[in-house]
Amino acid sequence: MTEDWPERVFRERLVQPDRVSCGATCLVVARMIEDHAYGQELGSAPSVPDRFRAEVLEVHRQVTGLVDHGHLQVPWPRALGTPPWAVARQLGDRDVRWVRTSPSSGYDAVVAATRLRRPVPVYVGNAWLPRHVVLALGEEGGRLRFFEPASGRLVDVGREQFRRGRVGLAGWDHAWWAVLPR
């Protein structure tokens, strides 16, 4: 990783604006990391938190609305967050797929994808349901680094924590799905 990636994106505490926009927050942060001009534009706004909030809410409206990027889609109730197929569609300029993570191979699949210098949205939840979206950024010191949008912090998770369903991201422990490049 270059010295300023992804740290340049995290100069300000970027927090999801409401309790259901974690997926949209991860999409905006992923774009900020991958698209330097976009990241610079948001990062240099007079009020970064206000501009970031407005951008996240607009993305959330798009990914759950009737039309996304000019394509008709089945609307999704915003109160339920962002479905993984909408995240995959938003990242569609790169060939992506959303896959169920397994305790044994999920960690390695996410790490491999981040080695391509692509942030990876990961759905986490309890043992029964996915409830929150976080963004995997890459492995640092043998631990997978995540952007956690509820707190706006970077959190490191070890392979064994991931395997045992103890990721501890915003109170959720089980990794459910990852949106991975093919």
Side-chain angles (χ1 to χ4, degrees):
M1 284 188 206
T2 63
E3 186 174 81
D4 66 343
W5 189 94
E7 287 75 16
R8 70 176 164 80
V9 172
F10 302 104
R11 286 189 306 255
E12 301 269 346
R13 176 82 46 89
L14 304 176
V15 180
Q16 67 188 66
D18 58 34
R19 52 181 214 78
V20 296
S21 61
C22 52
T25 301
C26 287
L27 285 169
V28 171
V29 170
R31 184 171 173 205
M32 290 174 74
I33 290 169
E34 292 186 315
D35 180 345
H36 185 72
Y38 177 76
Q40 288 290 97
E41 176 188 333
L42 281 182
S44 63
S47 173
V48 173
D50 290 343
R51 179 71 196 328
F52 180 77
R53 174 185 172 78
E55 190 73 11
V56 168
L57 293 173
E58 175 59 23
V59 167
H60 197 216
R61 186 192 62 71
Q62 288 174 9
V63 298
T64 58
L66 183 60
V67 177
D68 183 20
H69 282 74
H71 300 288
L72 286 175
Q73 64 185 3
V74 176
W76 181 260
R78 250 180 248 155
L80 297 179
T82 308
W85 51 88
V87 170
R89 186 176 50 252
Q90 283 286 312
L91 300 174
D93 62 325
R94 51 185 170 147
D95 194 15
V96 296
R97 60 197 164 97
W98 58 282
V99 298
R100 176 76 164 95
T101 59
S102 72
S104 59
S105 63
Y107 183 93
D108 292 330
V110 173
V111 167
T114 62
R115 284 191 183 127
L116 301 171
R117 294 182 45 91
R118 302 291 182 122
V120 174
V122 177
Y123 283 71
V124 296
N126 59 27
W128 300 280
L129 290 169
R131 302 299 307 226
H132 186 56
V133 184
V134 295
L135 195 62
L137 303 173
E139 200 172 37
E140 297 280 333
R143 297 172 62 82
L144 189 53
R145 178 157 290 169
F146 288 92
F147 165 68
E148 201 292 287
S151 67
R153 296 186 183 277
L154 298 177
V155 178
D156 295 340
V157 174
R159 176 187 308 278
E160 197 59 23
Q161 286 173 273
F162 193 98
R163 190 183 72 72
R164 290 180 182 245
R166 303 260 188 265
V167 296
L169 295 164
W172 304 109
D173 282 327
H174 297 272
W176 274 82
W177 293 305
V179 181
L180 300 170
R182 289 189 196 269

